[in-house]
Amino acid sequence: MDLLVAQITADLRSSDALRQSSALLQALQQCAAGRDVSALARTVATEILAAPSSAVCKRLALDLLRALPLPPDLLDPLLLSSLGSDLSFPDPDVAASSLASFPSLPSHLLPSLLSSAHADISAALSSPAESLRLAAVTSLSSLLPRDDLALMCSSNPSLMAHATAWWARLAELALDSADAVAAAAFEALARLFQELDARRMSRLAGDKLVDGEGALAVRAQWAADAINFIWSRRNMLIARSMVMPVERFRVTVYPLVHAAKMVASGAVNTLRRIAKPGDTTMGDSVESSAEKLVGVSDIVSHLLPFLSSLDPPLVFEVGINMLALADVPGGKPEWASAATIAILTLWDRQEFSSMRETIVRAVVTNLHLLDLGMQVSLFKRLLQMVRNLRAESDRMHALACICRTALCVDLFAKESVRRGQKPVSGTDVISLFEDVRVKDDLKSITSKSLFREELVASLVESCFQLSLPLPEQNNSGTESRVIGALAYGTGYGALNWTEPALEVVEVCRPCVLWDCDGRTYAIDCYLKLLVRLCHIYDTRGGVKTIKAGASQDQILNETRLRNLQLQLIRDLREIHTPRISSRLIWAISEHFDLEGLDPLLADDPEDPLNIIISNMHKILFNTESSTTTSNRIQDVQSVLICAQRLGTRNARAGQLLSKELEEYRASTSADSVTKHQSRYVLQIIKYVTNHPDNRWVGVGDATGDYPFSHHKLTVQFSEASAAQDRKLEGLVHKAIQELWRPSPTQLSLLQTKGIGALHKELPKAYTLTGSSDPCYIEAYHLADPTDGRITLHLKILNLTELELNRVDIRVGLSGALYYMDGFSRTVRHLRNLVSQDPVQSSVTVGVSHFERCSLWVQVLYYPFDGSGGSADYEGDYEDSSQTMRQKRSFRPELGEPVVLRCQPYKIPLAELLLPYECSPVEYFRLWPSLPAMVECTGTYTYEGSGFKATAAQQYDSSPFLSGLKSISSKPFHQVCSHFIRTVAGFQLCYAAKTWFGGFVGMMIFGASEVSRNVDLGDETTTMICKFVVRASDELITREIESDLQGWLDDITDGAVEYMPEDEVKSAAAERLKVSMERIALLKAAKPKVPPAKTKEEEEEEKKQNEDLDEFGNPKGPSTLSKLTAEEAEHRALQAAVLQEWHQLCKEKAMKAQK
């Protein structure tokens, strides 16, 4: 290795550019292989960077220096000096290579470099050399839109002025005579617009996380200026793009379209208000709607010919942007039709096969922009395309879009017909199933296709979403168009959504016959929708009549539902899966009209009641089915409940079911539990038969409940079918939720709620130094779970009266933290710290796994720097418990440093969690299957007075939860809760996931202990909480268990104090001892029992005192209670519960009236 380093050094010292470049490439190759070539650093700096050399060599030298693990005090001055000198180098290629290195520099070097080199950068943008202009445009377009640069500009007015001037010049360069420079300028504008919402480059930069309000305002100002420039000179830019080569034309499309869309929709005015939120003198743009429409039409006319291009990426880019223009106010369906046809042509030509998912996503997302006829004509083709998609998430998203559009078209067409317009053929939901292949899949029993299950599940879940209130949309755009069409179709009526839902349950009826290898999710969705519709229309009461006040539509819908129920009952004979049979019987039995059956057909095997009971018999006596087709315990339980419901509603059903249940009880198929339950059901049926006027005892109202689920506890059932069901449900729910209830983007939030919507309080800053330290340091952190990064922001204040020429900030790491560049860049150099002048610094690290983390800050400042004092200092700090090692050498001319070791900055363990939204059903399904568990007990005190402290609500929240109120701001999702206010008890359930995918569930059980002090008035109560944490990985619970008090501090902000288990047991034993002593005292204080009297004496005394009061007079009716003390206490507790319930219901009713 020494020979190789010597050979590379000799080549670097030669004046031959070819030998130098070869040597640098060889050094980079060795560095990439993991070998240490740090000995070359000084030679590279002196022979290449500090000396005249070619542009290629300088660029390679910079790359090599950044790859070497050099200390920043050596690297930073080299980079700044070499880049600054190269910018003014006469050779434009050398200056271009220097500019190209700017985006890869650390953030802390950029302010000083950009401020000192702003004249050279401005000169490069106006240079006659094309290569230098191109390098300047490319470098600035990758650098300026980032969060860190935008935030620097918000706090540095001079840098802001330079950056604004550079953006203005970049926009002008879009008209440059050189095609490469003009294309790079167009791309720079596109990056600015995309970064305003997506922040992709800020994430890729990876240097640090910043609080984004200041950065957003700065970028909004730059974007508004760029949009005004493009809109005012759109004709010139269109003409310039027309003379570009076709391979460069694609980059010119997005900036033109985005600027036109922002102006036409009025969003540019929002950007102006964001840029200057306090400026009340600024008015909106005064362009007329006609001018906006003409401008948008000009851009569409400019793009339209390129839809027939032979370059597939260009066709796709133009098509996507034309769809965006069709969505602006004044957009035409013809624009969307032309773009959609062009995009679908790419699929037919198979020239864009790598973008199949993107093509489908583009078409289904913009279906609503087309006219009704074209939407209906595309359903059949889109389903074929979606079936062939490989990625499941893309397939689910496409199906969700298609199903929502089909429901929207159906509702819109029906409402248009009601308002007197001509009906359009093929607009019904059943048009989705017109394709022969889809229809055959739906009717096939043993088909192995998963696509039919995905289609039925997506369609049914979309119907459920349609039954919910539509979200409010105040801005124009894609979502507002869809929601407007749905609102028009439903007429803002409560039951209009049931018409397409009824068509869905009719067309999807064959799904109950499917044999899906144990999968039941799609069938469960279908039956759940059927039960919902039957409950809404009250089908158990039969078809209503006009005399009863029913409308024609209601009579028609109820008749269709009754016919569907009869068809499903006939289908029971063809179902060979007991699990599905029991669920279908449940869905029908509660809502079927038994009184409407013909009594003359009681002995007919085709009678619906006879069919139902015969299938119940099969389920009760079936003991041979496999676990994939039957869940016998659940099936028998559901059949017995259905028997109770049917038998108590109809006399003939009661007779037949009594015979079946007696036979079942006497058979060997019944176990002890089901025998007992059968006897209970028989008693209810017998009672209702003998007392027909008291039938309500066994009947009750229809609940409309469908309690079945495909969920199974993974501890008990490790079936592949259950896992596939859970996976399908997760994909469908995620796609439906993202489509129907999407999370608002940053720009849409700004348009609807203004700049205040993005206001976030800065995290709490912690002081790391002591009160007598010569330097004051406070810190806070920002986290990015997506990339697994944490940025520590430091504020350093020089408290001495001296101006310090140099201060070094060291940051050591412990736990799961690491420096993302692969080696320790732990030192930040600060220059010329003036007394009492705060200086900002930051460091970004990555997190590798779920573990407690700390950052250890050390400050070294040199009071004798520049005074000529000489001393050798070797700093060594090692702590095996924190697994840290820091070792640095300092030059003697700096003087001996003063070392200040700060308190460690601990990252809360809860910071590495994310809220995980799940239903209570899913949560309690997962809870027993989580293998790792840890428990702990904590206490806190709360104050209240009397009944308000325990039973009633105070300020809309329970006062006894005061110690846990901080959990609401932590990364936990509250799944469910249960409160017993009368005795101040509760149970809370939370769900979260780690950054790395592990599941964490937490239950908190609380019970209050009251310790009253009568003299002081108010009572102070102690809440004892049991925290139970279960996780999918033992490493998670082990990390929590290592410091239980620290975990409680993290999630409750120090409000809960940890109690060890031995203290809990000793406190319980002490309370028991005190109680026993009190009981003993009470027993000792009782008077002695007199000698027992004979029975005759007791009877005589009782007779004498029976009719006389205490004065010997005859007494009237008695009102005194004869209850024991325990009975009185029990009744008082019941009265308190009822009083609380009445009070809460009364408060809710008053709130509802308000």
Side-chain angles (χ1 to χ4, degrees), residues 1119-1143:
T1119 58
L1120 296 178
S1121 174
K1122 297 181 180 180
L1123 299 175
T1124 63
E1126 291 79 6
E1127 292 174 342
E1129 182 181 2
H1130 183 65
R1131 291 198 178 188
L1133 181 60
Q1134 286 182 332
V1137 173
L1138 292 175
Q1139 179 185 3
E1140 175 197 354
W1141 178 257
H1142 175 72
Q1143 184 71 19

CSV table of all heavy atoms in Angstrom, one decimal, residues 1119-1143:
chain,number,residue,atom,x,y,z
A,1119,THR,N,-92.6,4.1,56.7
A,1119,THR,CA,-91.7,4.5,55.6
A,1119,THR,C,-90.2,4.2,55.8
A,1119,THR,O,-89.4,4.6,55.1
A,1119,THR,CB,-91.9,6.0,55.3
A,1119,THR,OG1,-91.6,6.8,56.5
A,1119,THR,CG2,-93.3,6.4,54.9
A,1120,LEU,N,-89.9,3.6,57.0
A,1120,LEU,CA,-88.6,3.3,57.3
A,1120,LEU,C,-88.1,2.1,56.5
A,1120,LEU,O,-88.8,1.2,56.2
A,1120,LEU,CB,-88.5,3.0,58.8
A,1120,LEU,CG,-88.8,4.2,59.8
A,1120,LEU,CD1,-88.7,3.7,61.2
A,1120,LEU,CD2,-87.9,5.4,59.5
A,1121,SER,N,-86.7,2.2,56.1
A,1121,SER,CA,-86.1,1.1,55.4
A,1121,SER,C,-85.6,0.0,56.3
A,1121,SER,O,-85.1,0.3,57.4
A,1121,SER,CB,-84.9,1.7,54.6
A,1121,SER,OG,-84.3,0.6,53.9
A,1122,LYS,N,-85.8,-1.2,55.8
A,1122,LYS,CA,-85.4,-2.3,56.6
A,1122,LYS,C,-84.1,-3.0,55.9
A,1122,LYS,O,-83.8,-4.1,56.1
A,1122,LYS,CB,-86.5,-3.4,56.6
A,1122,LYS,CG,-87.7,-2.9,57.4
A,1122,LYS,CD,-88.8,-4.0,57.4
A,1122,LYS,CE,-90.0,-3.5,58.2
A,1122,LYS,NZ,-91.0,-4.6,58.3
A,1123,LEU,N,-83.4,-2.1,55.1
A,1123,LEU,CA,-82.2,-2.7,54.4
A,1123,LEU,C,-81.0,-2.7,55.3
A,1123,LEU,O,-80.9,-1.9,56.3
A,1123,LEU,CB,-81.9,-1.7,53.2
A,1123,LEU,CG,-82.9,-1.6,52.1
A,1123,LEU,CD1,-82.5,-0.6,51.1
A,1123,LEU,CD2,-83.2,-2.9,51.4
A,1124,THR,N,-80.2,-3.7,55.0
A,1124,THR,CA,-78.9,-3.7,55.8
A,1124,THR,C,-78.0,-2.6,55.3
A,1124,THR,O,-78.2,-2.0,54.3
A,1124,THR,CB,-78.2,-5.1,55.6
A,1124,THR,OG1,-77.9,-5.3,54.2
A,1124,THR,CG2,-79.2,-6.2,56.0
A,1125,ALA,N,-76.8,-2.5,56.0
A,1125,ALA,CA,-75.9,-1.4,55.6
A,1125,ALA,C,-75.3,-1.7,54.3
A,1125,ALA,O,-75.1,-0.8,53.5
A,1125,ALA,CB,-74.8,-1.3,56.7
A,1126,GLU,N,-75.0,-3.0,54.0
A,1126,GLU,CA,-74.4,-3.3,52.7
A,1126,GLU,C,-75.4,-3.1,51.6
A,1126,GLU,O,-75.0,-2.5,50.5
A,1126,GLU,CB,-73.9,-4.8,52.7
A,1126,GLU,CG,-72.8,-5.1,53.6
A,1126,GLU,CD,-73.2,-5.2,55.1
A,1126,GLU,OE1,-74.4,-5.2,55.4
A,1126,GLU,OE2,-72.3,-5.4,55.9
A,1127,GLU,N,-76.6,-3.4,51.8
A,1127,GLU,CA,-77.6,-3.2,50.8
A,1127,GLU,C,-77.8,-1.7,50.5
A,1127,GLU,O,-78.0,-1.2,49.4
A,1127,GLU,CB,-79.0,-3.9,51.1
A,1127,GLU,CG,-78.9,-5.4,51.1
A,1127,GLU,CD,-80.2,-6.0,51.6
A,1127,GLU,OE1,-80.9,-5.3,52.3
A,1127,GLU,OE2,-80.4,-7.2,51.4
A,1128,ALA,N,-77.8,-0.9,51.6
A,1128,ALA,CA,-78.0,0.5,51.4
A,1128,ALA,C,-76.8,1.1,50.7
A,1128,ALA,O,-77.0,2.0,49.8
A,1128,ALA,CB,-78.1,1.2,52.8
A,1129,GLU,N,-75.6,0.7,51.0
A,1129,GLU,CA,-74.5,1.2,50.3
A,1129,GLU,C,-74.5,0.8,48.8
A,1129,GLU,O,-74.2,1.6,48.0
A,1129,GLU,CB,-73.2,0.6,51.0
A,1129,GLU,CG,-71.9,1.2,50.3
A,1129,GLU,CD,-70.7,0.6,51.0
A,1129,GLU,OE1,-70.8,-0.3,51.9
A,1129,GLU,OE2,-69.6,0.9,50.6
A,1130,HIS,N,-74.9,-0.4,48.6
A,1130,HIS,CA,-75.0,-0.9,47.2
A,1130,HIS,C,-76.0,0.0,46.4
A,1130,HIS,O,-75.8,0.4,45.3
A,1130,HIS,CB,-75.4,-2.3,47.1
A,1130,HIS,CG,-75.4,-2.9,45.8
A,1130,HIS,ND1,-74.3,-3.0,45.0
A,1130,HIS,CD2,-76.4,-3.4,45.0
A,1130,HIS,CE1,-74.6,-3.6,43.8
A,1130,HIS,NE2,-75.9,-3.8,43.8
A,1131,ARG,N,-77.2,0.2,47.0
A,1131,ARG,CA,-78.2,1.0,46.3
A,1131,ARG,C,-77.7,2.5,46.1
A,1131,ARG,O,-78.0,3.1,45.1
A,1131,ARG,CB,-79.5,1.0,47.1
A,1131,ARG,CG,-80.2,-0.4,47.1
A,1131,ARG,CD,-81.6,-0.3,47.5
A,1131,ARG,NE,-82.2,-1.6,47.4
A,1131,ARG,CZ,-83.6,-1.8,47.5
A,1131,ARG,NH1,-84.4,-0.8,47.8
A,1131,ARG,NH2,-84.1,-3.0,47.4
A,1132,ALA,N,-77.0,3.0,47.1
A,1132,ALA,CA,-76.5,4.3,47.0
A,1132,ALA,C,-75.5,4.4,45.8
A,1132,ALA,O,-75.5,5.4,45.1
A,1132,ALA,CB,-75.8,4.8,48.3
A,1133,LEU,N,-74.7,3.4,45.7
A,1133,LEU,CA,-73.7,3.4,44.5
A,1133,LEU,C,-74.5,3.3,43.2
A,1133,LEU,O,-74.1,4.0,42.3
A,1133,LEU,CB,-72.8,2.2,44.7
A,1133,LEU,CG,-71.7,2.1,43.6
A,1133,LEU,CD1,-70.8,3.3,43.5
A,1133,LEU,CD2,-70.9,0.8,43.8
A,1134,GLN,N,-75.5,2.5,43.2
A,1134,GLN,CA,-76.3,2.4,41.9
A,1134,GLN,C,-77.0,3.8,41.6
A,1134,GLN,O,-77.0,4.2,40.5
A,1134,GLN,CB,-77.4,1.4,42.1
A,1134,GLN,CG,-76.9,-0.1,42.0
A,1134,GLN,CD,-78.0,-1.1,42.1
A,1134,GLN,OE1,-79.0,-0.8,42.7
A,1134,GLN,NE2,-77.8,-2.2,41.5
A,1135,ALA,N,-77.5,4.5,42.7
A,1135,ALA,CA,-78.1,5.8,42.5
A,1135,ALA,C,-77.1,6.8,42.0
A,1135,ALA,O,-77.4,7.6,41.1
A,1135,ALA,CB,-78.7,6.3,43.8
A,1136,ALA,N,-75.8,6.7,42.5
A,1136,ALA,CA,-74.8,7.6,42.0
A,1136,ALA,C,-74.5,7.4,40.5
A,1136,ALA,O,-74.3,8.3,39.7
A,1136,ALA,CB,-73.5,7.5,42.8
A,1137,VAL,N,-74.4,6.1,40.1
A,1137,VAL,CA,-74.1,5.8,38.7
A,1137,VAL,C,-75.3,6.3,37.8
A,1137,VAL,O,-75.0,6.9,36.8
A,1137,VAL,CB,-73.9,4.3,38.6
A,1137,VAL,CG1,-73.8,3.9,37.1
A,1137,VAL,CG2,-72.7,3.8,39.3
A,1138,LEU,N,-76.5,6.1,38.3
A,1138,LEU,CA,-77.6,6.5,37.5
A,1138,LEU,C,-77.7,8.1,37.4
A,1138,LEU,O,-78.0,8.7,36.4
A,1138,LEU,CB,-79.0,6.0,38.1
A,1138,LEU,CG,-79.2,4.5,38.0
A,1138,LEU,CD1,-80.4,4.1,38.7
A,1138,LEU,CD2,-79.3,4.1,36.5
A,1139,GLN,N,-77.4,8.7,38.5
A,1139,GLN,CA,-77.3,10.2,38.5
A,1139,GLN,C,-76.3,10.7,37.6
A,1139,GLN,O,-76.5,11.6,36.8
A,1139,GLN,CB,-77.1,10.7,40.0
A,1139,GLN,CG,-77.0,12.2,40.1
A,1139,GLN,CD,-76.6,12.7,41.4
A,1139,GLN,OE1,-76.4,11.8,42.3
A,1139,GLN,NE2,-76.6,14.0,41.7
A,1140,GLU,N,-75.1,10.0,37.6
A,1140,GLU,CA,-74.0,10.5,36.7
A,1140,GLU,C,-74.5,10.3,35.2
A,1140,GLU,O,-74.3,11.1,34.4
A,1140,GLU,CB,-72.8,9.6,36.9
A,1140,GLU,CG,-71.6,9.9,35.9
A,1140,GLU,CD,-70.6,8.9,35.9
A,1140,GLU,OE1,-70.7,8.0,36.8
A,1140,GLU,OE2,-69.7,8.9,35.1
A,1141,TRP,N,-75.0,9.1,34.9
A,1141,TRP,CA,-75.5,8.8,33.6
A,1141,TRP,C,-76.5,9.9,33.1
A,1141,TRP,O,-76.5,10.4,32.0
A,1141,TRP,CB,-76.1,7.4,33.5
A,1141,TRP,CG,-76.6,7.0,32.2
A,1141,TRP,CD1,-77.9,7.0,31.8
A,1141,TRP,CD2,-75.8,6.7,31.0
A,1141,TRP,NE1,-78.0,6.6,30.5
A,1141,TRP,CE2,-76.7,6.4,30.0
A,1141,TRP,CE3,-74.5,6.6,30.8
A,1141,TRP,CZ2,-76.3,6.1,28.7
A,1141,TRP,CZ3,-74.0,6.2,29.5
A,1141,TRP,CH2,-75.0,6.0,28.5
A,1142,HIS,N,-77.5,10.2,34.0
A,1142,HIS,CA,-78.5,11.1,33.7
A,1142,HIS,C,-77.9,12.5,33.4
A,1142,HIS,O,-78.2,13.2,32.5
A,1142,HIS,CB,-79.5,11.2,34.8
A,1142,HIS,CG,-80.6,12.3,34.6
A,1142,HIS,ND1,-81.6,12.2,33.7
A,1142,HIS,CD2,-80.7,13.5,35.2
A,1142,HIS,CE1,-82.3,13.3,33.7
A,1142,HIS,NE2,-81.8,14.1,34.6
A,1143,GLN,N,-76.9,12.9,34.3
A,1143,GLN,CA,-76.2,14.2,34.1
A,1143,GLN,C,-75.5,14.3,32.8
A,1143,GLN,O,-75.6,15.3,32.1
A,1143,GLN,CB,-75.3,14.4,35.3
A,1143,GLN,CG,-74.6,15.8,35.3
A,1143,GLN,CD,-75.6,16.9,35.7
A,1143,GLN,OE1,-76.6,16.6,36.2
A,1143,GLN,NE2,-75.2,18.1,35.3
